[in-house]
Amino acid sequence: MSEDSATTFQGAVLDELGGDKVREIAGLLGTDEAGARDVVGTTASALSGEAAAVEPEPTPQEAPLQGVATLGGFTTGGLMAGVLAKASGPVANAVAKKTGLPPATVARVVEMVIPVVLTVLTKRAAKKK
């Protein structure tokens, strides 16, 4: 994903999330809306396959997050949700490390963002058909 498409993707996730949820996330994080938008953007990028930008180097027993595009397309929504849910822990830890926020708090935000990321990916896949 190029920087422009990553920025566009982050914007789509934030648009889909909506102002109320962004404010809720800001409250959860103890920050302002701009801070919440940054965390959501970083999380969306990580969940969409740009994890290398935020994820620390994997240890030998960990496989790196490879992104949703490697799963055989978007017709496997249940599988996608499962994979993103499984990736939520490593993504939350990476985002927490990058932002300095507590991992447990970031994990709650990641859980809120996963369904929105799935929605945006599904909408984008439908447009490509």
Side-chain angles (χ1 to χ4, degrees), residues 33-61:
E33 286 186 44
R37 288 177 162 283
D38 287 344
V39 172
V40 169
T42 301
T43 301
S45 290
L47 289 170
S48 68
E50 291 294 315
V54 296
E55 189 172 35
E57 288 297 314
T59 58
Q61 66 272 24

PDB file of all heavy atoms in Angstrom, residues 33-61:
ATOM      1  N   GLU A  33      -9.127  14.624  20.282  1.00  0.00           N
ATOM      2  CA  GLU A  33      -9.552  13.933  19.061  1.00  0.00           C
ATOM      3  C   GLU A  33      -8.402  13.729  18.080  1.00  0.00           C
ATOM      4  O   GLU A  33      -8.340  12.704  17.409  1.00  0.00           O
ATOM      5  CB  GLU A  33     -10.703  14.681  18.385  1.00  0.00           C
ATOM      6  CG  GLU A  33     -12.013  14.513  19.117  1.00  0.00           C
ATOM      7  CD  GLU A  33     -13.185  15.125  18.386  1.00  0.00           C
ATOM      8  OE1 GLU A  33     -13.286  14.947  17.149  1.00  0.00           O
ATOM      9  OE2 GLU A  33     -14.005  15.780  19.045  1.00  0.00           O
ATOM     10  N   ALA A  34      -7.488  14.692  18.002  1.00  0.00           N
ATOM     11  CA  ALA A  34      -6.342  14.542  17.096  1.00  0.00           C
ATOM     12  C   ALA A  34      -5.483  13.355  17.516  1.00  0.00           C
ATOM     13  O   ALA A  34      -5.030  12.577  16.666  1.00  0.00           O
ATOM     14  CB  ALA A  34      -5.514  15.826  17.061  1.00  0.00           C
ATOM     15  N   GLY A  35      -5.272  13.203  18.810  1.00  0.00           N
ATOM     16  CA  GLY A  35      -4.505  12.057  19.312  1.00  0.00           C
ATOM     17  C   GLY A  35      -5.212  10.748  19.025  1.00  0.00           C
ATOM     18  O   GLY A  35      -4.583   9.758  18.641  1.00  0.00           O
ATOM     19  N   ALA A  36      -6.529  10.743  19.200  1.00  0.00           N
ATOM     20  CA  ALA A  36      -7.307   9.539  18.907  1.00  0.00           C
ATOM     21  C   ALA A  36      -7.237   9.200  17.420  1.00  0.00           C
ATOM     22  O   ALA A  36      -7.083   8.035  17.046  1.00  0.00           O
ATOM     23  CB  ALA A  36      -8.758   9.735  19.332  1.00  0.00           C
ATOM     24  N   ARG A  37      -7.316  10.216  16.577  1.00  0.00           N
ATOM     25  CA  ARG A  37      -7.230  10.000  15.126  1.00  0.00           C
ATOM     26  C   ARG A  37      -5.868   9.408  14.756  1.00  0.00           C
ATOM     27  O   ARG A  37      -5.782   8.527  13.903  1.00  0.00           O
ATOM     28  CB  ARG A  37      -7.455  11.307  14.369  1.00  0.00           C
ATOM     29  CG  ARG A  37      -8.890  11.782  14.412  1.00  0.00           C
ATOM     30  CD  ARG A  37      -9.044  13.137  13.701  1.00  0.00           C
ATOM     31  NE  ARG A  37     -10.419  13.402  13.379  1.00  0.00           N
ATOM     32  CZ  ARG A  37     -11.106  12.853  12.375  1.00  0.00           C
ATOM     33  NH1 ARG A  37     -10.536  12.005  11.581  1.00  0.00           N
ATOM     34  NH2 ARG A  37     -12.370  13.146  12.177  1.00  0.00           N
ATOM     35  N   ASP A  38      -4.811   9.883  15.398  1.00  0.00           N
ATOM     36  CA  ASP A  38      -3.479   9.339  15.131  1.00  0.00           C
ATOM     37  C   ASP A  38      -3.408   7.858  15.504  1.00  0.00           C
ATOM     38  O   ASP A  38      -2.873   7.044  14.741  1.00  0.00           O
ATOM     39  CB  ASP A  38      -2.403  10.113  15.902  1.00  0.00           C
ATOM     40  CG  ASP A  38      -2.135  11.489  15.325  1.00  0.00           C
ATOM     41  OD1 ASP A  38      -2.530  11.752  14.169  1.00  0.00           O
ATOM     42  OD2 ASP A  38      -1.529  12.305  16.048  1.00  0.00           O
ATOM     43  N   VAL A  39      -3.938   7.513  16.664  1.00  0.00           N
ATOM     44  CA  VAL A  39      -3.906   6.113  17.109  1.00  0.00           C
ATOM     45  C   VAL A  39      -4.761   5.246  16.187  1.00  0.00           C
ATOM     46  O   VAL A  39      -4.345   4.153  15.790  1.00  0.00           O
ATOM     47  CB  VAL A  39      -4.356   5.974  18.579  1.00  0.00           C
ATOM     48  CG1 VAL A  39      -4.518   4.516  18.975  1.00  0.00           C
ATOM     49  CG2 VAL A  39      -3.352   6.671  19.506  1.00  0.00           C
ATOM     50  N   VAL A  40      -5.933   5.732  15.812  1.00  0.00           N
ATOM     51  CA  VAL A  40      -6.793   4.975  14.895  1.00  0.00           C
ATOM     52  C   VAL A  40      -6.105   4.807  13.545  1.00  0.00           C
ATOM     53  O   VAL A  40      -6.114   3.720  12.959  1.00  0.00           O
ATOM     54  CB  VAL A  40      -8.176   5.648  14.731  1.00  0.00           C
ATOM     55  CG1 VAL A  40      -8.967   5.019  13.584  1.00  0.00           C
ATOM     56  CG2 VAL A  40      -8.966   5.552  16.024  1.00  0.00           C
ATOM     57  N   GLY A  41      -5.472   5.861  13.048  1.00  0.00           N
ATOM     58  CA  GLY A  41      -4.770   5.778  11.766  1.00  0.00           C
ATOM     59  C   GLY A  41      -3.638   4.773  11.804  1.00  0.00           C
ATOM     60  O   GLY A  41      -3.470   3.964  10.882  1.00  0.00           O
ATOM     61  N   THR A  42      -2.857   4.794  12.879  1.00  0.00           N
ATOM     62  CA  THR A  42      -1.763   3.835  13.034  1.00  0.00           C
ATOM     63  C   THR A  42      -2.302   2.417  13.114  1.00  0.00           C
ATOM     64  O   THR A  42      -1.767   1.495  12.491  1.00  0.00           O
ATOM     65  CB  THR A  42      -0.938   4.166  14.296  1.00  0.00           C
ATOM     66  OG1 THR A  42      -0.427   5.494  14.181  1.00  0.00           O
ATOM     67  CG2 THR A  42       0.211   3.206  14.481  1.00  0.00           C
ATOM     68  N   THR A  43      -3.382   2.242  13.850  1.00  0.00           N
ATOM     69  CA  THR A  43      -4.002   0.929  13.990  1.00  0.00           C
ATOM     70  C   THR A  43      -4.556   0.440  12.662  1.00  0.00           C
ATOM     71  O   THR A  43      -4.353  -0.717  12.278  1.00  0.00           O
ATOM     72  CB  THR A  43      -5.119   0.982  15.052  1.00  0.00           C
ATOM     73  OG1 THR A  43      -4.550   1.401  16.298  1.00  0.00           O
ATOM     74  CG2 THR A  43      -5.792  -0.373  15.225  1.00  0.00           C
ATOM     75  N   ALA A  44      -5.236   1.318  11.928  1.00  0.00           N
ATOM     76  CA  ALA A  44      -5.790   0.939  10.622  1.00  0.00           C
ATOM     77  C   ALA A  44      -4.686   0.521   9.670  1.00  0.00           C
ATOM     78  O   ALA A  44      -4.817  -0.463   8.942  1.00  0.00           O
ATOM     79  CB  ALA A  44      -6.606   2.092  10.037  1.00  0.00           C
ATOM     80  N   SER A  45      -3.593   1.277   9.669  1.00  0.00           N
ATOM     81  CA  SER A  45      -2.463   0.927   8.803  1.00  0.00           C
ATOM     82  C   SER A  45      -1.914  -0.438   9.160  1.00  0.00           C
ATOM     83  O   SER A  45      -1.628  -1.263   8.283  1.00  0.00           O
ATOM     84  CB  SER A  45      -1.352   1.970   8.931  1.00  0.00           C
ATOM     85  OG  SER A  45      -1.751   3.170   8.353  1.00  0.00           O
ATOM     86  N   ALA A  46      -1.750  -0.688  10.447  1.00  0.00           N
ATOM     87  CA  ALA A  46      -1.211  -1.974  10.885  1.00  0.00           C
ATOM     88  C   ALA A  46      -2.145  -3.118  10.509  1.00  0.00           C
ATOM     89  O   ALA A  46      -1.698  -4.163  10.028  1.00  0.00           O
ATOM     90  CB  ALA A  46      -0.973  -1.958  12.392  1.00  0.00           C
ATOM     91  N   LEU A  47      -3.431  -2.919  10.704  1.00  0.00           N
ATOM     92  CA  LEU A  47      -4.386  -3.982  10.399  1.00  0.00           C
ATOM     93  C   LEU A  47      -4.564  -4.198   8.900  1.00  0.00           C
ATOM     94  O   LEU A  47      -4.965  -5.267   8.470  1.00  0.00           O
ATOM     95  CB  LEU A  47      -5.746  -3.679  11.041  1.00  0.00           C
ATOM     96  CG  LEU A  47      -5.783  -3.814  12.556  1.00  0.00           C
ATOM     97  CD1 LEU A  47      -7.094  -3.250  13.099  1.00  0.00           C
ATOM     98  CD2 LEU A  47      -5.606  -5.268  12.982  1.00  0.00           C
ATOM     99  N   SER A  48      -4.245  -3.195   8.095  1.00  0.00           N
ATOM    100  CA  SER A  48      -4.430  -3.336   6.655  1.00  0.00           C
ATOM    101  C   SER A  48      -3.190  -3.838   5.931  1.00  0.00           C
ATOM    102  O   SER A  48      -3.155  -3.891   4.717  1.00  0.00           O
ATOM    103  CB  SER A  48      -4.865  -2.005   6.043  1.00  0.00           C
ATOM    104  OG  SER A  48      -3.806  -1.073   6.118  1.00  0.00           O
ATOM    105  N   GLY A  49      -2.176  -4.193   6.671  1.00  0.00           N
ATOM    106  CA  GLY A  49      -1.007  -4.768   6.036  1.00  0.00           C
ATOM    107  C   GLY A  49       0.222  -3.892   6.085  1.00  0.00           C
ATOM    108  O   GLY A  49       1.264  -4.271   5.577  1.00  0.00           O
ATOM    109  N   GLU A  50       0.117  -2.748   6.689  1.00  0.00           N
ATOM    110  CA  GLU A  50       1.265  -1.866   6.818  1.00  0.00           C
ATOM    111  C   GLU A  50       1.913  -2.029   8.190  1.00  0.00           C
ATOM    112  O   GLU A  50       2.517  -1.120   8.712  1.00  0.00           O
ATOM    113  CB  GLU A  50       0.834  -0.403   6.612  1.00  0.00           C
ATOM    114  CG  GLU A  50       0.423  -0.101   5.204  1.00  0.00           C
ATOM    115  CD  GLU A  50       1.582  -0.214   4.229  1.00  0.00           C
ATOM    116  OE1 GLU A  50       2.667   0.282   4.533  1.00  0.00           O
ATOM    117  OE2 GLU A  50       1.385  -0.830   3.171  1.00  0.00           O
ATOM    118  N   ALA A  51       1.790  -3.207   8.774  1.00  0.00           N
ATOM    119  CA  ALA A  51       2.296  -3.450  10.122  1.00  0.00           C
ATOM    120  C   ALA A  51       3.797  -3.231  10.225  1.00  0.00           C
ATOM    121  O   ALA A  51       4.304  -2.916  11.289  1.00  0.00           O
ATOM    122  CB  ALA A  51       1.945  -4.860  10.576  1.00  0.00           C
ATOM    123  N   ALA A  52       4.505  -3.372   9.141  1.00  0.00           N
ATOM    124  CA  ALA A  52       5.949  -3.168   9.193  1.00  0.00           C
ATOM    125  C   ALA A  52       6.290  -1.754   9.646  1.00  0.00           C
ATOM    126  O   ALA A  52       7.348  -1.523  10.224  1.00  0.00           O
ATOM    127  CB  ALA A  52       6.565  -3.434   7.825  1.00  0.00           C
ATOM    128  N   ALA A  53       5.377  -0.811   9.419  1.00  0.00           N
ATOM    129  CA  ALA A  53       5.633   0.564   9.828  1.00  0.00           C
ATOM    130  C   ALA A  53       5.547   0.742  11.336  1.00  0.00           C
ATOM    131  O   ALA A  53       6.131   1.664  11.876  1.00  0.00           O
ATOM    132  CB  ALA A  53       4.629   1.499   9.150  1.00  0.00           C
ATOM    133  N   VAL A  54       4.833  -0.148  12.028  1.00  0.00           N
ATOM    134  CA  VAL A  54       4.665   0.005  13.468  1.00  0.00           C
ATOM    135  C   VAL A  54       5.080  -1.216  14.258  1.00  0.00           C
ATOM    136  O   VAL A  54       5.295  -1.131  15.448  1.00  0.00           O
ATOM    137  CB  VAL A  54       3.199   0.347  13.838  1.00  0.00           C
ATOM    138  CG1 VAL A  54       2.807   1.682  13.276  1.00  0.00           C
ATOM    139  CG2 VAL A  54       2.243  -0.729  13.419  1.00  0.00           C
ATOM    140  N   GLU A  55       5.189  -2.365  13.618  1.00  0.00           N
ATOM    141  CA  GLU A  55       5.463  -3.594  14.341  1.00  0.00           C
ATOM    142  C   GLU A  55       6.965  -3.782  14.521  1.00  0.00           C
ATOM    143  O   GLU A  55       7.731  -3.663  13.571  1.00  0.00           O
ATOM    144  CB  GLU A  55       4.889  -4.788  13.573  1.00  0.00           C
ATOM    145  CG  GLU A  55       4.940  -6.073  14.362  1.00  0.00           C
ATOM    146  CD  GLU A  55       4.202  -7.188  13.659  1.00  0.00           C
ATOM    147  OE1 GLU A  55       4.221  -7.239  12.422  1.00  0.00           O
ATOM    148  OE2 GLU A  55       3.609  -8.001  14.370  1.00  0.00           O
ATOM    149  N   PRO A  56       7.398  -4.088  15.753  1.00  0.00           N
ATOM    150  CA  PRO A  56       8.809  -4.361  15.952  1.00  0.00           C
ATOM    151  C   PRO A  56       9.205  -5.644  15.238  1.00  0.00           C
ATOM    152  O   PRO A  56       8.348  -6.444  14.859  1.00  0.00           O
ATOM    153  CB  PRO A  56       8.932  -4.514  17.471  1.00  0.00           C
ATOM    154  CG  PRO A  56       7.562  -4.800  17.961  1.00  0.00           C
ATOM    155  CD  PRO A  56       6.605  -4.217  16.957  1.00  0.00           C
ATOM    156  N   GLU A  57      10.492  -5.831  15.049  1.00  0.00           N
ATOM    157  CA  GLU A  57      10.972  -7.037  14.385  1.00  0.00           C
ATOM    158  C   GLU A  57      10.442  -8.275  15.120  1.00  0.00           C
ATOM    159  O   GLU A  57      10.473  -8.327  16.335  1.00  0.00           O
ATOM    160  CB  GLU A  57      12.504  -7.069  14.389  1.00  0.00           C
ATOM    161  CG  GLU A  57      13.125  -6.075  13.442  1.00  0.00           C
ATOM    162  CD  GLU A  57      12.761  -6.348  11.997  1.00  0.00           C
ATOM    163  OE1 GLU A  57      12.825  -7.508  11.557  1.00  0.00           O
ATOM    164  OE2 GLU A  57      12.412  -5.387  11.300  1.00  0.00           O
ATOM    165  N   PRO A  58       9.938  -9.275  14.383  1.00  0.00           N
ATOM    166  CA  PRO A  58       9.417 -10.474  15.040  1.00  0.00           C
ATOM    167  C   PRO A  58      10.551 -11.295  15.638  1.00  0.00           C
ATOM    168  O   PRO A  58      11.667 -11.299  15.128  1.00  0.00           O
ATOM    169  CB  PRO A  58       8.724 -11.234  13.896  1.00  0.00           C
ATOM    170  CG  PRO A  58       9.392 -10.734  12.664  1.00  0.00           C
ATOM    171  CD  PRO A  58       9.824  -9.314  12.941  1.00  0.00           C
ATOM    172  N   THR A  59      10.214 -11.957  16.721  1.00  0.00           N
ATOM    173  CA  THR A  59      11.167 -12.896  17.280  1.00  0.00           C
ATOM    174  C   THR A  59      11.094 -14.161  16.454  1.00  0.00           C
ATOM    175  O   THR A  59      10.137 -14.371  15.714  1.00  0.00           O
ATOM    176  CB  THR A  59      10.834 -13.194  18.755  1.00  0.00           C
ATOM    177  OG1 THR A  59       9.505 -13.709  18.814  1.00  0.00           O
ATOM    178  CG2 THR A  59      10.933 -11.944  19.608  1.00  0.00           C
ATOM    179  N   PRO A  60      12.082 -15.061  16.535  1.00  0.00           N
ATOM    180  CA  PRO A  60      12.084 -16.249  15.682  1.00  0.00           C
ATOM    181  C   PRO A  60      10.816 -17.086  15.773  1.00  0.00           C
ATOM    182  O   PRO A  60      10.408 -17.669  14.800  1.00  0.00           O
ATOM    183  CB  PRO A  60      13.303 -17.033  16.172  1.00  0.00           C
ATOM    184  CG  PRO A  60      14.204 -16.001  16.751  1.00  0.00           C
ATOM    185  CD  PRO A  60      13.297 -14.943  17.333  1.00  0.00           C
ATOM    186  N   GLN A  61      10.152 -17.129  16.921  1.00  0.00           N
ATOM    187  CA  GLN A  61       8.946 -17.947  17.034  1.00  0.00           C
ATOM    188  C   GLN A  61       7.689 -17.219  16.561  1.00  0.00           C
ATOM    189  O   GLN A  61       6.633 -17.805  16.485  1.00  0.00           O
ATOM    190  CB  GLN A  61       8.756 -18.466  18.463  1.00  0.00           C
ATOM    191  CG  GLN A  61       8.478 -17.408  19.497  1.00  0.00           C
ATOM    192  CD  GLN A  61       9.740 -16.817  20.118  1.00  0.00           C
ATOM    193  OE1 GLN A  61      10.813 -16.842  19.532  1.00  0.00           O
ATOM    194  NE2 GLN A  61       9.619 -16.273  21.299  1.00  0.00           N
TER     195      GLN A  61
END
